[in-house]
Amino acid sequence: MEITVILSQENETLPKAELLARLEILGINYNILEEYPGIIQLEVDAVQEDIVDLGSHLGYTHEILETISKSTPDNLRSDVEEINWDDIISGSFKVRVKRMGNGDVDKDGIEYHIGGYIKESSHVKVLLDNPEYTIKLVFTDPVIETNEYNESRVVGYNQVFITNLVVEQDKKHFFDNKPHKRPYFHPGSMSPKLALCMANLARVHRGDVVLDPFCGTGGILIEAGHLGTKLIGSDIEKQMYEGTKLNLAHEGFEDFNIMWEDVRKIHLDTPVDAVAMDPPYGISTTLGGDDTCQLYHEALINIADNIKDDGFICMASPHYIDLSEVVEDTPLVIEQQHGIRMHKSLTRIITVLYKK
């Protein structure tokens, strides 16, 4: 089947990388067909249930839609009329227009006229609240105009994807799991969206054992736990160790092991499947008096001893740390890196490594 994926545009590279990593996790073969700002279209070897599973656990993907047909703004009405809608919908529906870049489109008029045609041809009722089907007309391949002040705006579109919504992001999950809503909170805690993304980039599978050796308040472990994993964490600070246990129990997890331990002294009986971590940096965190680069290097040496061969590690670090130097003399290889601009003087680097 062909799918149209609506990605978050908060970051240039992370959303696509997370999507492709989760496709790999689920063993879904894919072929990238087209890419536009905020959209990637793929052909996938999957059924609808697989796509629901795919989209239900992604931090930076808003929607996944089944591609019905492709059109242009000028030919949209005639192309819609060529579709046998009896094969597409069998219950209540609504039509929605999505404009990538908020270009000038008669959104209400298109929804009214296309929805009216589909209703007439399929004899299925329109239902605006909780319909069985949502037909989305995604306007993309934007025409961009730049003025004399180098300001750009979308003035039109070259393509329209006619789609059926399969799964959309559960925004309530991320809202309800904001760090300050947990029993134990500490400033600087990672957002649930990024924590889930990092778990996916670490290639976390259901049933895996996942380690976060800098667990802090447990944010990464919480998102990994919702993927159906067994959790191991550690932190050198006792209040973090206690706080993580409190937060994991509050989430309803039972299968976890949290240690009050220095990452460089962890020795596990059985290697873990994946590691996702946000090591400390800067004056607001405790480094035990050690240089950050030295800590990272020594931590990665020990983590490599406690992760299975070909296992993945996803870690966050500040831009001024050169991880290519940090991983020297370790069995770890950098696979990919993504930058997240935090503020004027700091960019956070999300790095994916694997043990060769």
Side-chain angles (χ1 to χ4, degrees):
M1 67 186 294
E2 288 188 16
I3 59 173
T4 299
V5 183
I6 310 297
L7 300 172
S8 167
Q9 294 183 274
E10 299 169 60
N11 185 274
E12 188 174 342
T13 61
L14 265 180
K16 177 182 175 181
E18 183 193 19
L19 171 67
L20 298 186
R22 182 137 184 87
L23 284 164
E24 179 184 329
I25 291 166
L26 297 177
I28 298 175
N29 295 322
Y30 66 89
N31 179 38
I32 298 175
L33 302 175
E34 296 180 87
E35 293 185 69
Y36 300 103
I39 286 182
I40 182 169
Q41 194 183 50
L42 308 99
E43 183 177 4
V44 294
D45 182 13
V47 296
Q48 193 167 92
E49 289 77 9
D50 299 324
I51 301 306
V52 171
D53 194 11
L54 170 68
S56 298
H57 298 289
L58 286 166
Y60 290 95
T61 291
H62 292 318
E63 297 173 330
I64 302 182
L65 311 115
E66 181 177 6
T67 308
I68 299 170
S69 184
K70 301 173 188 178
S71 184
T72 64
D74 291 339
N75 298 325
L76 179 59
R77 177 63 185 250
S78 60
D79 288 340
V80 165
E81 292 178 358
E82 289 182 5
I83 296 170
N84 185 348
W85 288 100
D86 289 333
D87 293 339
I88 306 297
I89 58 176
S90 58
S92 60
F93 79 99
K94 67 180 177 182
V95 173
R96 286 291 177 263
V97 167
K98 186 170 187 65
R99 303 161 294 164
M100 300 307 294
N102 294 317
D104 187 16
V105 169
D106 181 13
K107 181 176 178 292
D108 293 339
I110 292 171
E111 291 175 354
Y112 176 80
H113 290 294
I114 298 298
Y117 172 78
I118 296 174
K119 177 184 177 182
E120 185 178 306
S121 67
S122 64
H123 307 291
V124 175
K125 69 176 181 179
V126 174
L127 185 63
L128 300 182
D129 293 325
N130 299 315
E132 295 175 62
Y133 298 87
T134 298
I135 303 303
K136 287 217 169 183
L137 309 173
V138 184
F139 284 70
T140 185
D141 193 6
V143 179
I144 298 175
E145 183 180 85
T146 304
N147 64 19
E148 59 183 310
Y149 303 105
N150 205 32
E151 297 170 331
S152 299
R153 68 187 183 97
V154 176
V155 295
Y157 297 94
N158 293 310
Q159 188 159 199
V160 183
F161 294 145
I162 304 169
T163 70
N164 176 35
L165 177 66
V166 178
V167 59
E168 59 185 334
Q169 187 183 73
D170 180 9
K171 295 180 181 179
K172 186 176 184 296
H173 168 80
F174 296 120
F175 179 80
D176 291 343
N177 281 279
K178 286 185 177 181
H180 70 273
K181 294 188 174 185
R182 299 172 190 150
Y184 179 75
F185 170 70
H186 188 273
S189 298
M190 181 175 287
S191 72
K193 186 182 296 186
L194 180 55
L196 174 56
C197 176
M198 290 184 64
N200 281 320
L201 290 175
R203 310 304 198 275
V204 170
H205 296 72
R206 180 172 296 276
D208 277 356
V209 179
V210 180
L211 168 67
D212 180 357
F214 299 94
C215 60
T217 62
I220 291 176
L221 292 177
I222 287 172
E223 295 306 321
H226 285 304
L227 295 173
T229 63
K230 299 177 181 180
L231 307 173
I232 299 177
S234 73
D235 205 286
I236 197 172
E237 294 191 56
K238 189 172 184 181
Q239 63 266 38
M240 297 296 189
Y241 153 77
E242 297 287 359
T244 291
K245 291 193 296 180
L246 188 65
N247 287 343
L248 291 178
H250 177 74
E251 285 288 320
F253 297 123
E254 298 178 353
D255 195 0
F256 61 82
N257 175 25
I258 308 302
M259 301 172 284
W260 177 22
E261 184 61 275
D262 187 318
V263 60
R264 294 162 290 189
K265 297 178 181 178
I266 293 174
H267 295 289
L268 302 175
D269 293 334
T270 304
V272 299
D273 297 290
V275 175
M277 61 185 189
D278 183 16
Y281 60 89
I283 59 175
S284 65
T285 55
T286 297
L287 298 178
D290 292 323
D291 172 77
T292 304
C293 287
Q294 178 186 345
L295 170 66
Y296 285 11
H297 179 71
E298 294 174 358
L300 286 173
I301 288 175
N302 196 48
I303 289 169
D305 288 338
N306 286 282
I307 189 172
K308 68 179 184 180
D309 293 342
D310 299 323
F312 283 86
I313 300 166
C314 185
M315 67 177 290
S317 64
H319 69 273
Y320 50 79
I321 301 293
D322 185 353
L323 282 186
S324 63
E325 293 183 1
V326 171
V327 299
E328 287 182 1
D329 303 319
T330 76
L332 303 175
V333 176
I334 294 176
E335 184 198 57
Q336 55 184 266
Q337 292 186 300
H338 310 275
I340 302 176
R341 185 175 174 83
M342 306 300 292
H343 49 74
K344 186 176 180 180
S345 60
L346 177 64
T347 296
R348 210 174 200 179
I349 306 299
I350 306 301
T351 300
V352 179
L353 310 100
Y354 68 92
K355 181 180 176 181
K356 57 185 178 182

